[in-house]
Amino acid sequence: MKRAVFQVSVLFLFAVWARSQPAANPCPRPPIGSVVSPLAEMRSSGGRLAVDLSLRSGVDAFHLNVYCYVASNGVEAPTLRVHAGDELVLRLKNELQPVKPEMGRDGDGHMHAGAACTGGTMTASSTNLHFHGINIPPTCHQDDVIHTVIPPSEQPFEYRIHIPETQKPGLYWYHPHPHGFSEAQVLGGASGALIVEGIENTHPELAGLPERLLILRDQRVPGLVEAAEDAGPGKDISLNFVLIKFPYYIPAEMPVKPSQREFWRVLNASADTIFDLQLVFGSDIHDVHVAEHLHLIAIDGSPISPDAPHSIANPDHVLLSPGARAEFVVVTPPEGAIAQLVTRKYDTGPFGSAIPYRVIANV
């Protein structure tokens, strides 16, 4: 009860403080402790999906730079759902504020020439797109991230991609990848899911199951330099943009129906954070145990063989490095159970960054 009162008090104080902050952020985020909302989707039709996206940036209530993809209908970070063999036409407009180029150098001291197909010099306001995991050529207007530099402009840059007929169904994602400047944009939240349909055709047991898409991201901790983050709390994390923030770590809320089989598709869209996911539940705080019913379907778009050992096909936790994806079936906790989705503490070694245990969501 004391914990609940404390969380309510913190949420109230945060809400009062947040309302006093500027409201002109073009990349709005849900309040801390919010219910995890389903993500907006855009689906292909007749073998084609055409999407207009704008990359925007702003400053949040914690004075951090945030980034977002916004579709022409106002949807932020839409999930793109296509089929193998489809054509994806994506027109990306860079609406970042121009910055003065510094001799074309990035944070690693690399030189960048203007892109042959776009022109311009690589700066912190440049961007491009990478379609993570999709087997398409690294050429201009497809999946090139070395030479393609999209500067702030009124003219959108067109990506025209053929999803291979051989592309395995599953979870993939899109994000910016301008060399030397990717981390800031990804940490700011510029990312979205890309799903190739048809996984129920290879896994008939998924047909008719409720599907839940969960995107994990990370971001800077306000007031801390990166060395202090690495030595202490690590990056802050979020679930479908609901922030789980240092030092209080108030979890997101994820309502489910009890004792129901669900298909969870989880994307680690963070820049730096490793997640070691586990679902735990019990009758009270003294009787907490790991979920026994977790059936792994695919990792990074690669299906798990039906002949895989039980420990691989039915793990009690799932380790996801940045960019990794996992798709699995869970059985939600029974009525009245205390349940949580957590990420376990992970040791990255003496020169690594901190990855602490955190509760991501109350389920």
Side-chain angles (χ1 to χ4, degrees), residues 52 192 216 296 321 332:
D52 291 318
L216 297 162
L296 197 58
S321 59
T332 58

Side-chain angles (χ1 to χ4, degrees), residues 55 69 92 94 96 125-129 148-151 176 178 185:
L55 177 64
Y69 293 115
L92 178 62
N94 183 350
L96 304 183
S125 61
S126 303
T127 195
N128 55 31
L129 270 178
T148 300
V149 181
I150 306 173
Q185 295 180 20

Side-chain angles (χ1 to χ4, degrees), residues 2-349:
K2 290 181 179 179
R3 178 173 178 268
V5 172
F6 172 75
Q7 286 190 357
V8 170
S9 299
V10 171
L11 285 171
F12 174 76
L13 291 173
F14 171 77
V16 171
W17 175 76
R19 288 193 186 99
S20 68
Q21 305 305 304
N25 183 7
C27 303
R29 301 286 187 256
I32 289 175
S34 295
V35 170
V36 177
S37 299
L39 299 172
E41 299 178 338
M42 303 182 76
R43 296 173 178 266
S44 66
S45 177
R48 189 173 186 269
L49 175 61
V51 180
D52 291 318
L53 285 184
S54 294
L55 177 64
R56 299 173 182 171
S57 66
V59 178
D60 69 6
F62 301 102
H63 305 288
L64 294 179
N65 292 327
V66 291
Y67 295 81
C68 60
Y69 293 115
V70 180
S72 56
N73 60 0
V75 168
E76 184 176 347
T79 299
L80 309 180
R81 302 190 73 121
V82 297
H83 295 82
D86 280 353
E87 180 184 45
L88 172 62
V89 179
L90 196 155
R91 292 175 289 268
L92 178 62
K93 183 179 179 182
N94 183 350
E95 296 185 3
L96 304 183
Q97 290 297 313
V99 298
K100 184 178 179 180
E102 298 180 2
M103 299 298 293
R105 289 187 177 271
D106 65 21
D108 298 321
H110 297 295
M111 298 297 292
H112 296 281
C117 55
T118 61
T121 303
M122 184 79 78
T123 72
S125 61
S126 303
T127 195
N128 55 31
L129 270 178
H130 173 49
F131 301 91
H132 198 119
I134 300 294
N135 296 316
I136 53 179
T139 59
C140 190
H141 298 283
Q142 295 194 63
D143 201 24
D144 168 64
V145 296
I146 301 300
H147 303 292
T148 300
V149 181
I150 306 173
S153 172
E154 294 182 0
Q155 298 300 318
F157 180 87
E158 184 174 275
Y159 287 88
R160 189 173 291 272
I161 294 165
H162 175 76
I163 307 297
E165 284 79 359
T166 56
Q167 188 71 50
K168 294 177 180 178
L171 175 60
Y172 305 91
W173 64 302
Y174 60 93
H175 61 87
H177 210 308
H179 186 52
F181 300 100
S182 307
E183 184 183 34
Q185 295 180 20
V186 174
L187 280 174
S191 55
L194 195 164
I195 293 176
V196 177
E197 304 279 26
I199 198 167
E200 68 280 356
N201 296 329
T202 57
H203 293 81
E205 69 273 22
L206 301 179
L209 291 187
E211 180 180 305
R212 195 179 294 269
L213 176 59
L214 304 174
I215 301 183
L216 297 162
R217 297 178 174 90
D218 61 359
Q219 65 182 59
R220 297 299 308 272
V221 177
L224 294 184
V225 298
E226 193 159 19
E229 289 176 345
D230 292 345
K235 298 284 194 302
D236 279 340
I237 60 174
S238 67
L239 178 63
N240 290 12
F241 287 126
V242 179
L243 182 63
I244 298 93
K245 188 184 181 308
F246 171 81
Y248 303 112
Y249 295 132
I250 297 171
E253 298 292 329
M254 195 162 68
V256 298
K257 293 183 178 180
S259 302
Q260 175 178 255
R261 295 177 73 241
E262 292 189 354
F263 181 38
W264 288 15
R265 316 183 91 158
V266 183
L267 159 63
N268 182 358
S270 68
D272 302 305
T273 301
I274 295 171
F275 290 89
D276 194 0
L277 299 177
Q278 197 166 57
L279 184 63
V280 298
F281 60 92
S283 58
D284 57 52
I285 60 175
H286 303 294
D287 178 32
V288 177
H289 55 278
V290 177
E292 299 176 355
H293 305 290
L294 192 159
H295 178 55
L296 197 58
I297 299 297
I299 290 286
D300 295 341
S302 296
I304 302 301
S305 169
D307 300 324
H310 184 274
S311 60
I312 294 176
N314 299 274
D316 63 6
H317 65 104
V318 178
L319 184 67
L320 295 178
S321 59
R325 294 90 64 206
E327 300 171 87
F328 48 87
V329 175
V330 302
V331 176
T332 58
E335 183 75 39
I338 298 172
Q340 293 180 320
L341 176 66
V342 306
T343 180
R344 309 194 310 171
K345 181 178 180 180
Y346 187 79
D347 186 0
T348 60

